[in-house]
Amino acid sequence: MNLQGVLEGLLFVVGNEGISLEQLTEILGIDKKELEILLTNLNLEYENDNRGLKIETLGNKYKLVTKKEHKEYYEKLVSVEKSENLSQAALETLAVIAYNEPVTRLYVDEIRGVDSSHMIRKLLYRNLVKELGRSDLPGRPILYGVTDEFLDYLGLSSKEELPKLENIEINSQEYDNLDLYESKYKEM
């Protein structure tokens, strides 16, 4: 097994959270010296000009980050995304956070049924979501909530103006039998 590839995958999976040397040695089943060699070799590969990532140490955590010299391109991507309207996935994520705050990313993932980490990062960048602190759950995950900009985006003065969920009724029998294709064209 190529442990350097596994290490790279682990760094990718943990994302912004990062991972400690202790966690890496335990997961990979190697000692600290071997791990440091793997980290050094991987970082040497990332120093190549045709690579866009590098390994950075923040506190006692290691994580993959983008290279600063490519910053102008990342800013273009983010500014394009920022100017666009919110996608369905972004609106779903916002709704889960707004109605359940403070909420962890894992809770949002459970409700939506998909990984929401990328969407939450986008919403954080757009300042529609903010970090409220840390949960007391194992691993102390970040708690998220909505911002005043979220309220401005929706034209609300407070969260109390959000539609009440109990006011939204769906007859489950009608919903189960609904054929969206047929119903759309029958109405025409």
Side-chain angles (χ1 to χ4, degrees), residues 12-58:
F12 176 79
V13 168
V14 296
N16 282 342
E17 296 293 318
I19 190 166
S20 69
L21 280 176
E22 293 77 24
Q23 290 172 303
L24 286 169
T25 56
E26 183 179 327
I27 292 169
L28 294 172
I30 58 176
D31 63 33
K32 187 176 175 180
K33 186 174 179 124
E34 269 183 281
L35 177 60
E36 288 172 347
I37 292 169
L38 283 175
L39 283 165
T40 301
N41 290 339
L42 187 56
N43 230 354
L44 286 173
E45 286 186 31
Y46 285 137
E47 286 179 11
N48 192 329
D49 285 342
N50 66 352
R51 302 299 295 264
L53 302 173
K54 67 179 184 172
I55 299 173
E56 204 165 271
T57 311
L58 299 168

Side-chain angles (χ1 to χ4, degrees), residues 9 11-17 87-94 96-97 104-123 144:
L11 291 169
F12 176 79
V13 168
V14 296
N16 282 342
E17 296 293 318
S87 66
Q88 183 67 33
L91 290 171
E92 287 174 7
T93 305
L94 270 173
V96 171
I97 294 171
T104 64
R105 180 192 55 82
L106 286 176
Y107 182 80
V108 175
D109 292 353
E110 286 176 27
I111 298 295
R112 292 190 62 232
V114 295
D115 179 30
S116 301
S117 55
H118 178 66
M119 194 54 55
I120 289 174
R121 279 194 300 273
K122 282 183 170 183
L123 294 171
Y144 297 99

Side-chain angles (χ1 to χ4, degrees), residues 34 61 77 101:
E34 269 183 281
K61 303 266 184 162
L77 170 69
E101 72 176 351

